[in-house]
Amino acid sequence: MNKSQPKVSVLMSVYNGSQYLRESVESILNQTFTNFEFIIINDCSTDKTGEILTVSANQDNRITLINNEENIGLTRSLNKGLKIAKGEYIARQDADDISLPERLERQVESLDKNPEAVLISCDLDLINAKGDRVGSFRRSCDSNLVAWYLLFYNHLAGHSQVMFRRKSVLNLGGYAENYRYCQDYELWCRLVKIGRIIIRPEVLLQQRFHSQSISSDKKTEQKSYALKQVQDNICNLINREISLKEAEKLSGFWIGHWWQQCFPSSSEVRSINLLLQEISKAFIQKEFQQFSSSVVTYSQLKNLISQQFMAWIQVPFNKRHSLKAKLRISYYALAWSPLGVLKSWIILLWKSKSYLLKAIIRLPQNLKSEAKGCS
């Protein structure tokens, strides 16, 4: 293999990641696709990261190890790696995740066959500190709809599973160095404006969640960066300002219907509904201007929005997800899908039959207590 002409540059930056580092590095070295260089940046780690990487680099000449003299953070380290990478394609890998053996092969195949695509992603399995599967992110969808989802949240669900065209990202200036977190989401929002993002409907990476991961340790700061990106996305699309609170509610509408604290009030639902009407029309218009004909139809967006309203309705009853709250949701959902509202209520009532049965059983007792209170 000619190391000076790799097809892919795998890019990893690590800071004090020794606990899972060997397993992560091995998952790349054992890929079925072998024409790659592996650029690993040790961002001034103070644990055993340097020792582990030195041993790995001595054993496999595909590894290029760079030791930062000072800690410069993930975003700047990734840009540093991008500038020295030789591959046509860049594959990201985090130091605690595991790439499945055919990941690089499948993603190279997708980029080779789809010259209009700038980035390939995939579905993910979630693993815990022990490596046990604890969940999944199934984000594959029609590639024409990825730009819509990215308005509201990082639909790709991670950073470590992607492969993108190096020149496309360099032409955009690389990662935004004013983003300490969510630099991946910010980049995807720029990339999707110049080409297609394709999410393969197969699991090619295991994403690890543990106590030291950014997702667990820096949630508040990470959330603020993400919401600022959502705010910028919407403001740029509709050419007017929206508040961070509005951005948060829009994001929650798409990803938070299973979280009790995200359930909106009547006024919030009304605001979300009005914003979605404005955003969907602006999105279709911008698509038409960019591609001379919209690749996404209003009926497609209407269907997506109605599905999300239905998801809110179908959340089982509890103290916050009350009958009154669901009726508020249903009122605004009727404009998007009248038949969908009826179907969702049937599903909800079936899911909540035990809840309703208990409520009926308690009804005489409640009425009796109310009567005593009035006497």
Side-chain angles (χ1 to χ4, degrees), residues 8 14 23 30-31 36 126 253 274 276 284 312-313 367:
V8 175
V14 55
E23 188 177 9
N30 293 328
Q31 290 287 302
F36 64 85
L126 307 182
F253 175 81
L274 290 173
L276 287 172
I284 293 295
W312 284 97
I313 293 172
L367 291 174

Side-chain angles (χ1 to χ4, degrees), residues 290-310:
Q290 183 175 354
F291 300 105
S292 298
S293 61
S294 179
V295 295
V296 179
T297 65
Y298 183 70
S299 62
Q300 282 180 296
L301 295 188
K302 185 176 180 180
N303 183 54
L304 288 179
I305 294 167
S306 68
Q307 287 176 10
Q308 286 306 113
F309 272 112
M310 302 311 109

Side-chain angles (χ1 to χ4, degrees), residues 149 151-154 185 223 226-227 230-231 234 242 244-259 262 272 276 308 312:
Y149 288 125
L151 288 172
F152 309 103
Y153 66 102
N154 187 358
Y185 179 32
K223 181 181 178 182
L227 290 180
V230 174
Q231 184 186 38
I234 305 302
I242 68 167
L244 279 174
K245 190 69 174 178
E246 288 174 312
E248 183 176 16
K249 290 302 176 184
L250 282 167
S251 184
F253 175 81
W254 288 99
I255 64 174
H257 57 263
W258 55 87
W259 293 334
C262 285
I272 289 170
L276 287 172
Q308 286 306 113
W312 284 97

Side-chain angles (χ1 to χ4, degrees), residues 17-280:
S18 62
Q19 185 173 3
Y20 308 105
L21 185 56
R22 284 190 182 91
E23 188 177 9
S24 182
V25 169
E26 287 297 319
S27 76
I28 293 296
L29 298 179
N30 293 328
Q31 290 287 302
T32 57
F33 182 89
T34 59
N35 184 14
F36 64 85
E37 63 174 351
F38 194 177
I39 299 172
I40 308 178
I41 300 172
N42 176 16
D43 194 18
C44 207
S45 298
T46 58
D47 62 358
K48 294 183 179 180
T49 291
E51 299 172 28
I52 295 170
L53 292 178
T54 298
V55 171
S56 296
N58 289 336
Q59 293 175 344
D60 197 310
N61 66 2
R62 291 174 297 180
I63 295 178
T64 298
L65 177 58
I66 299 171
N67 292 298
N68 287 344
E69 294 181 0
E70 60 178 346
N71 181 267
I72 62 174
L74 175 61
T75 312
R76 290 176 61 193
S77 291
L78 292 179
N79 278 338
K80 186 175 182 178
L82 278 176
K83 290 176 182 177
I84 66 170
K86 301 182 182 70
E88 179 183 359
Y89 305 146
I90 300 291
R92 276 282 291 113
Q93 174 80 13
D94 286 333
D96 46 8
D97 296 336
I98 300 172
S99 287
L100 299 187
E102 294 184 342
R103 175 199 162 188
L104 297 185
E105 180 181 351
R106 300 283 178 83
Q107 292 183 325
V108 166
E109 176 186 0
S110 291
L111 283 172
D112 284 346
K113 289 183 176 180
N114 296 278
E116 76 285 1
V118 290
L119 183 147
I120 302 296
S121 186
C122 61
D123 289 333
L124 307 172
D125 274 347
L126 307 182
I127 59 175
N128 60 18
K130 297 179 181 179
D132 300 324
R133 184 180 180 276
V134 294
S136 64
F137 282 129
R138 298 295 184 264
R139 296 294 171 81
S140 53
C141 64
D142 183 339
S143 62
N144 292 327
L145 297 174
V146 174
W148 170 261
Y149 288 125
L150 284 174
L151 288 172
F152 309 103
Y153 66 102
N154 187 358
H155 184 71
L156 275 60
H159 195 178
S160 189
Q161 82 285 0
V162 304
M163 181 182 288
F164 52 77
R165 298 185 189 276
R166 178 174 59 89
K167 286 185 178 179
S168 296
V169 171
L170 288 176
N171 288 341
L172 289 175
Y175 290 91
E177 295 192 356
N178 58 325
Y179 273 65
R180 183 180 178 187
Y181 299 113
C182 296
Q183 62 282 109
D184 55 340
Y185 179 32
E186 190 277 338
L187 179 57
W188 312 158
C189 291
R190 283 185 286 143
L191 269 176
V192 79
K193 294 177 181 179
I194 65 169
R196 289 176 63 201
I197 290 179
I198 296 174
I199 306 175
R200 290 184 64 115
E202 60 180 333
V203 174
L204 296 174
L205 183 113
Q206 294 175 324
Q207 188 180 81
R208 196 186 304 268
F209 279 78
H210 53 91
S211 60
Q212 300 304 313
S213 66
I214 290 177
S215 299
S216 299
D217 194 36
K218 302 292 184 180
K219 284 184 178 180
T220 301
E221 191 173 0
Q222 190 179 53
K223 181 181 178 182
S224 68
Y225 276 96
L227 290 180
K228 181 62 171 61
Q229 184 61 46
V230 174
Q231 184 186 38
D232 289 345
N233 291 342
I234 305 302
C235 291
N236 291 334
L237 178 66
I238 64 177
N239 293 317
R240 70 174 182 84
E241 294 294 319
I242 68 167
S243 67
L244 279 174
K245 190 69 174 178
E246 288 174 312
E248 183 176 16
K249 290 302 176 184
L250 282 167
S251 184
F253 175 81
W254 288 99
I255 64 174
H257 57 263
W258 55 87
W259 293 334
Q260 182 173 328
Q261 63 269 29
C262 285
F263 206 80
S265 67
S266 179
S267 61
E268 289 168 345
V269 175
R270 180 177 181 275
S271 174
I272 289 170
N273 183 64
L274 290 173
L275 278 168
L276 287 172
Q277 291 177 6
E278 183 179 4
I279 292 166
S280 58

